Amino acid sequence: MNSVQLNYSTTVNSVQYNFPTLLFDTEYEYRTMARRSDHSREELREMALSAAEKIVVEQGYEGLSARKVAAAIGYTVGTLYLVFENIDDLILNINARTLDRLHAQMAELQSSADDPRDYLVQLGQIYIRFADDDPHRWALVFEHRLADDRALPAWYHEKVMRMFAMVEAGLAPVAEGRPQQDIKQAARAIWGGVHGICILALSDSLGITGVDSVQKLTTSLISNYLKGFTGA
């Protein structure tokens, strides 16, 4: 089939954008890409994120590309980059949604927790279940690296820090007057240990099978760490 060439323009939030000549390999690709131009910026953002998440869930991190996302929503890559700065920005927004879901589950536990030790163990179990239920989106949070070693934006860094804050809140009642820095360090040690179990378990590197076995290992890790941290 012959290639299709055209000058392309689209409208986002009542503002028209013109793009240089685009070349499509097939008439089908042209029709797919050119079929819609009537969504708001926020609608495009939600469409793109939903499509990108679906690709990650089905194909993993390696399957994600701007071209695939654009094709899935019926727009060009140029239009996609009117909403996101680049592919890194798109992935950060995917990861932010993943962190929001995890935080919501952790926050639900926090509102009903009584014993701080049990609370910390249950936090670890929530993390394990979350990773097991949604391994590709969970892995994307940790596998993706920003180009040129750029620092994470402040808004994203805050989402990460609030995870540690929930562990710190569980540690505070058993910290027995320890300085805040000790609590922060302990929170990161616990989180890092549970995260390590997740990675080894999901990659079949632990020689154990099933979520229950991993949960027992997680409970042992947290319980024994707390014994050393509190001296009891």
Side-chain angles (χ1 to χ4, degrees):
M1 183 177 293
N2 294 332
S3 297
V4 178
Q5 186 172 325
L6 77 162
N7 292 315
Y8 177 73
S9 66
T10 188
T11 302
V12 178
N13 288 346
S14 301
V15 178
Q16 185 172 18
Y17 297 86
N18 295 308
F19 295 92
T21 298
L22 299 176
L23 184 65
F24 296 92
D25 294 333
T26 67
E27 184 177 353
Y28 171 78
E29 183 181 16
Y30 158 66
R31 288 176 176 174
T32 300
M33 289 296 201
R35 64 189 170 88
R36 291 202 299 263
S37 59
D38 56 349
H39 294 94
S40 70
R41 183 185 182 88
E42 189 55 38
E43 287 172 335
L44 285 171
R45 181 181 184 278
E46 180 59 33
M47 289 164 57
L49 287 173
S50 296
E53 285 183 311
K54 187 173 186 293
I55 292 169
V56 172
V57 168
E58 294 177 351
Q59 303 177 32
Y61 177 32
E62 297 80 4
L64 182 65
S65 70
R67 185 185 180 93
K68 286 183 180 179
V69 175
I73 65 174
Y75 281 91
T76 66
V77 173
T79 301
L80 186 65
Y81 287 153
L82 292 176
V83 181
F84 301 97
E85 293 180 13
N86 47 42
I87 191 65
D88 282 339
D89 187 32
L90 173 64
I91 293 175
L92 283 178
N93 277 274
I94 297 170
N95 289 344
R97 285 156 66 116
T98 301
L99 291 175
D100 285 344
R101 288 195 303 275
L102 176 58
H103 181 266
Q105 293 183 26
M106 295 169 67
E108 185 176 352
L109 171 65
Q110 188 177 41
S111 65
S112 60
D114 294 322
D115 180 83
R117 293 173 184 264
D118 288 343
Y119 165 70
L120 289 167
V121 169
Q122 290 180 58
L123 276 184
Q125 293 174 346
I126 285 175
Y127 190 76
I128 294 291
R129 283 196 299 271
F130 186 89
D132 185 69
D133 290 343
D134 197 357
H136 290 309
R137 280 185 288 189
W138 171 82
L140 181 61
V141 174
F142 306 100
E143 290 179 359
H144 176 247
R145 295 290 182 271
L146 294 179
D148 302 321
D149 295 323
R150 291 187 294 119
L152 291 170
W155 64 267
Y156 186 86
H157 183 71
E158 289 175 4
K159 290 183 181 292
V160 175
M161 289 299 102
R162 68 179 179 173
M163 300 295 185
F164 290 127
M166 299 192 78
V167 183
E168 292 167 18
L171 282 168
V174 300
E176 299 181 351
R178 284 175 177 263
Q180 185 62 29
Q181 185 57 37
D182 285 359
I183 296 175
K184 287 181 177 293
Q185 184 175 3
R188 284 152 179 76
I190 291 174
W191 188 285
V194 174
H195 180 67
I197 290 174
C198 271
I199 292 175
L200 292 172
L202 293 179
S203 62
D204 295 325
S205 300
L206 278 178
I208 58 177
T209 58
V211 175
D212 290 342
S213 297
V214 178
Q215 294 284 28
K216 290 177 181 177
L217 192 59
T218 302
T219 298
S220 176
L221 170 75
I222 296 174
S223 298
N224 284 295
Y225 183 90
L226 289 175
K227 288 178 182 177
F229 183 70
T230 63

